[in-house]
Amino acid sequence: MKIGFIGTGGISEAMIRGMVGHAGHRDPILISRRSAKRSARLAEDFQNVTVLDHNQELVDQSDWVVLAILPGQAEGVIRELKFRPSHTVISLVAGLELESLSEQLAPAQEICRLIPLPPIEYGVGPIPLFPCLEKVAEFLGHLGTVIPVDDESCFTVFSASSALMANFFESTAWQARWMEEQGVPPDEAARYASSFTAGLTALTTRSDAEQLQALSRECLTVGGLNEHVLNESLQAEWFDRIRLPLDQVLARLRPDV
Ligand SMILES: NC(=O)c1ccc[n+]([C@@H]2O[C@H](COP(=O)([O-])OP(=O)(O)OC[C@H]3O[C@@H](n4cnc5c(N)ncnc54)[C@H](OP(=O)(O)O)[C@@H]3O)[C@@H](O)[C@H]2O)c1
């Protein structure tokens, strides 16, 4: 099976590194000669990656096509391409809905959307998939936690929720900076903050919906340090402040609602 990527940006690179470097994918992978340094680096690192000059050439030679261009680029790029009924097309493009994709990609029949995140490079992280094409779900199973979604409106909520990624990294970096400000050497602060994040994250991945909601309470000792910080944060409406920007992101992704 040949898989081709239209768009060789950050998320294509993470996905290809996950496929080849982590999951041991050996079938041919075709990529556009875009983001020139990145496409050259991928072809240099992996024997089964080939760079092609033209998008149509890539589509013609691929069984599966991954659309990994930016939302503002997608329509113009797709308009220039001709697909076959037998193509499986996987769109990563945020906000481009299935009905519109089906019209633009006709006569391709098998079309789905997914939201990979950068840790796909290491075979971890959530991968919401809509609709759940079984063969695509099986393929992605080697690259992270596939979350089959059967309602596109919910899928858009997953997409909006991924906008918390930068906040997550900033929170870990902020913790390290704060420790440095108190005199801890930068390397020690960074090692502590990153291991803190990774260690606590391991607890969340083993939790069901109910346990997840209980984790913060389980850290609290009456009169203790965690209780102090959580109570002050709740009083300052720390978490509610994220609601507005997230609602705004969701509205951007659902302009008609
Ligand atoms: N980054 C994430 O974590 C993430 C997660 C989930 C979904 N997504 C979605 O994935 C898509 C790509 O995101 P990204 O972060 O990888 O963006 P990016 O780094 O900006 O990559 C976009 C890629 O598209 C290429 N491109 C532009 N016009 C093209 C054309 N006519 N033909 C072929 N390639 C073309 C660009 O090449 P040049 O550099 O040469 O212009 C670049 O390689 C977006 O729709 C985004 O919503 C991203």
Side-chain angles (χ1 to χ4, degrees), residues 7-11 34-35 55 68-71 73 77 92-94 116 118 165:
T8 321
I11 201 64
R34 296 293 298 230
S35 305
N55 288 340
I69 54 262
L70 294 173
Q73 301 163 336
V77 172
L92 314 188
V93 182
M165 203 160 47

Side-chain angles (χ1 to χ4, degrees), residues 114-165:
L114 61 90
I115 313 167
L117 296 183
I120 196 168
E121 177 173 352
Y122 303 108
V124 290
I127 315 177
L129 172 65
F130 167 81
C132 184
L133 297 184
E134 276 309 322
K135 63 181 184 182
V136 178
E138 196 185 320
F139 171 78
L140 294 171
H142 303 285
L143 297 174
T145 304
V146 180
I147 303 179
V149 183
D150 57 15
D151 176 308
E152 194 161 33
S153 177
C154 288
F155 184 83
T156 307
V157 177
F158 285 91
S159 189
S161 179
S162 73
L164 287 172
M165 203 160 47

Side-chain angles (χ1 to χ4, degrees), residues 166-202:
N167 271 35
F168 171 85
F169 289 126
E170 185 55 26
S171 160
T172 303
W174 187 92
Q175 180 182 23
R177 284 201 301 277
W178 180 83
M179 292 174 75
E180 283 179 42
E181 282 162 24
Q182 316 312 314
V184 176
D187 283 353
E188 279 174 39
R191 203 140 51 97
Y192 181 82
S194 37
S195 178
F196 179 94
T197 302
L200 297 183
T201 303

Side-chain angles (χ1 to χ4, degrees), residues 62-64 83-88 107-110 135:
S62 300
D63 303 303
W64 291 16
F83 289 85
R84 298 186 298 271
S86 61
H87 270 127
T88 297
Q109 298 287 319
E110 292 188 313
K135 63 181 184 182

